[in-house]
Amino acid sequence: MIASTVPMLGPDWLDPEILINGFIERWGVWALVAICVVVLIETGLLFPILPGDSLLFTVGLFVGTGALQVPLWVACLALFVAAFVGDQIGYGIGRTAGPRIFKRPDSRIFKQQHIDTTHAFFDKYGGRAIVLGRFVPIVRTYIPVAAGIGRMPYSHFIKYNVIGAVLWAVGVTLLGYWLGSYAFVRDNIEVALVLIVAVSVLPMVIEWIKHRRERKTAA
């Protein structure tokens, strides 16, 4: 197990290091399958609280250090497929049952505020939102559903889906693999994961600040 110095926020099962180490202890190299299932659930089954960005980063880091003994190209391909299929499922949900799901009351996981944020993001960026939304927690869960509800042409959606899955699933994994070659990152993985989460949340913070300023200006 790689050393860590800063406690992660939230329950242990949301800590990607603990999550992946648990999978490895149970299934060895087949842990990659379980990791892909987590990615698919977050991106396709309306479960937005899973550690997407930090999970991918940790996979890359673990592959680089040998903690997860699978070839890098296999990990990248598997994660790409999981991310791609997840958004396909989300789009299908939006096309078939989206309005009913989006009108249900708030629960511990489902929040109407998340839907409103996603719609605003989609309205602003259009097709690019499928790609950009990959890097924004919560938004990446609901953006394919919003595309399905909005009846985005499937040919357009699948194009953006492929681009987004490559940049997010493969890109973040490669980033973890590359940064994992530095001893400081390996010895301070919790710090690195906190920074990854902070960077991924930054677009939402910026949008929130801009929205508040626009409301004040309008008033």
Side-chain angles (χ1 to χ4, degrees), residues 92 138 197:
I138 298 175
V197 172

Side-chain angles (χ1 to χ4, degrees), residues 10-25:
D12 286 347
W13 62 273
L14 286 179
D15 183 333
E17 185 183 1
I18 294 175
L19 193 65
I20 296 175
N21 274 314
F23 290 156
I24 293 173
E25 289 173 5

Side-chain angles (χ1 to χ4, degrees), residues 168-191:
W168 182 64
V170 178
V172 177
T173 302
L174 290 176
L175 181 65
Y177 180 85
W178 175 65
L179 290 179
S181 63
Y182 294 93
F184 176 80
V185 177
R186 292 197 304 272
D187 296 338
N188 297 277
I189 184 173
E190 298 290 3
V191 175

Side-chain angles (χ1 to χ4, degrees), residues 14 22 28 37 47 52 58-59 80 82 91 95 109 115 123 143 149 152 155-156 161 164-165 188 192 204 213 218:
L14 286 179
V37 170
F47 201 79
T58 307
V59 169
F80 163 77
Y91 181 85
R95 293 276 294 194
I109 296 176
I115 304 303
D123 290 342
I143 203 71
I149 292 176
M152 172 183 281
S155 59
H156 291 176
N161 188 14
N188 297 277
M204 294 185 68
R213 287 180 175 175

Side-chain angles (χ1 to χ4, degrees), residues 8 15 52-53 58 63 76 79 86 99 113 129 178 184 199:
M8 285 292 289
D15 183 333
D53 301 306
T58 307
V63 170
C76 288
L79 292 167
Q113 180 183 358
W178 175 65
F184 176 80
V199 170

